Amino acid sequence: MVWTAEGPQGNEAAKIRWELVPYTRGRGLDLGCGPFKAFPHFIGVDNGHHWGTQGIDFPVKTCENLEAFADKAFDFVFSSHLLEHIPDTAAALKEWWRVIKVDGYLCLYLPHRDLYPNVGQPGANPDHKHDFIESDIQGIMGRIASGFDLVRSEIRAGGNEY
């Protein structure tokens, strides 16, 4: 396991910020951003539950429901360490995919099941509903997202990245 409780917490997106650049040009959402949007041009969407509303451009009750946004309205949707908190993963991903333009990107940064304490284990985040590996997300996207094509997938286990 890579993650440790003593390591830096919060602003996980900063760990991959520069990796996002090729996939986050144009107009897009940073779902579950808290006070730390990855880049200023991202539209920060969050419920303010953990951090308050600082840094949030568009407060929502839940990031699973993006009904305020039109179909294919964005060039990208980015989410860091949010999907594992959502009970219905497939419904959330389907909704996120709905607002992405053709040839747009869904960028997910998730704690890896093998590098982080799993649901129900000591040290696990009590708010997590799921533990993911790459094939979990690929399988869901293959079922719900017409035109889905995996561009990049990696396991990031350096330092305190998980």
Side-chain angles (χ1 to χ4, degrees), residues 18-34:
W18 299 109
E19 305 289 332
L20 296 170
V21 171
Y23 312 107
T24 57
R25 297 174 195 265
R27 185 169 178 248
L29 303 176
D30 187 339
L31 300 178
C33 64

Side-chain angles (χ1 to χ4, degrees), residues 11-91:
N11 200 7
E12 294 301 315
K15 296 175 182 176
I16 61 159
R17 181 177 192 208
W18 299 109
E19 305 289 332
L20 296 170
V21 171
Y23 312 107
T24 57
R25 297 174 195 265
R27 185 169 178 248
L29 303 176
D30 187 339
L31 300 178
C33 64
F36 310 109
K37 290 189 299 188
F39 285 101
H41 75 282
F42 290 16
I43 299 168
V45 178
D46 199 298
N47 64 12
H49 174 73
H50 293 292
W51 308 94
T53 57
Q54 175 190 349
I56 299 172
D57 300 309
F58 197 91
V60 293
K61 183 176 179 182
T62 173
C63 285
E64 296 104 292
N65 182 345
L66 301 177
E67 67 186 10
F69 302 112
D71 293 358
K72 301 180 183 357
F74 297 101
D75 299 295
F76 66 89
V77 168
F78 168 62
S79 173
S80 172
H81 291 259
L82 172 64
L83 192 61
E84 66 274 11
H85 296 268
I86 296 174
D88 191 341
T89 304

Side-chain angles (χ1 to χ4, degrees), residues 2-12 15 116 159-162:
V2 172
W3 182 86
T4 64
E6 298 77 33
Q9 306 300 316
N11 200 7
E12 294 301 315
K15 296 175 182 176
Y116 187 84
N160 196 44
E161 199 167 352
Y162 52 95

Side-chain angles (χ1 to χ4, degrees), residues 48-156:
H49 174 73
H50 293 292
W51 308 94
T53 57
Q54 175 190 349
I56 299 172
D57 300 309
F58 197 91
V60 293
K61 183 176 179 182
T62 173
C63 285
E64 296 104 292
N65 182 345
L66 301 177
E67 67 186 10
F69 302 112
D71 293 358
K72 301 180 183 357
F74 297 101
D75 299 295
F76 66 89
V77 168
F78 168 62
S79 173
S80 172
H81 291 259
L82 172 64
L83 192 61
E84 66 274 11
H85 296 268
I86 296 174
D88 191 341
T89 304
L93 289 171
K94 186 174 183 178
E95 178 69 350
W96 299 356
W97 188 251
R98 177 187 67 78
V99 301
I100 300 172
K101 294 176 182 177
V102 173
D103 294 327
Y105 294 98
L106 173 61
C107 302
L108 302 174
Y109 184 44
L110 306 168
H112 193 281
R113 179 183 74 195
D114 298 337
L115 304 174
Y116 187 84
N118 291 180
V119 172
Q121 292 180 338
N125 185 321
D127 192 42
H128 284 190
K129 312 291 188 264
H130 307 281
D131 302 304
F132 295 117
I133 57 174
E134 306 89 318
S135 60
D136 298 331
I137 304 304
Q138 292 170 22
I140 294 168
M141 291 302 293
R143 289 189 302 275
I144 65 164
S146 141
F148 165 75
D149 183 30
L150 179 64
V151 175
R152 181 174 174 182
S153 176
E154 59 186 56
I155 297 172
R156 299 183 62 93

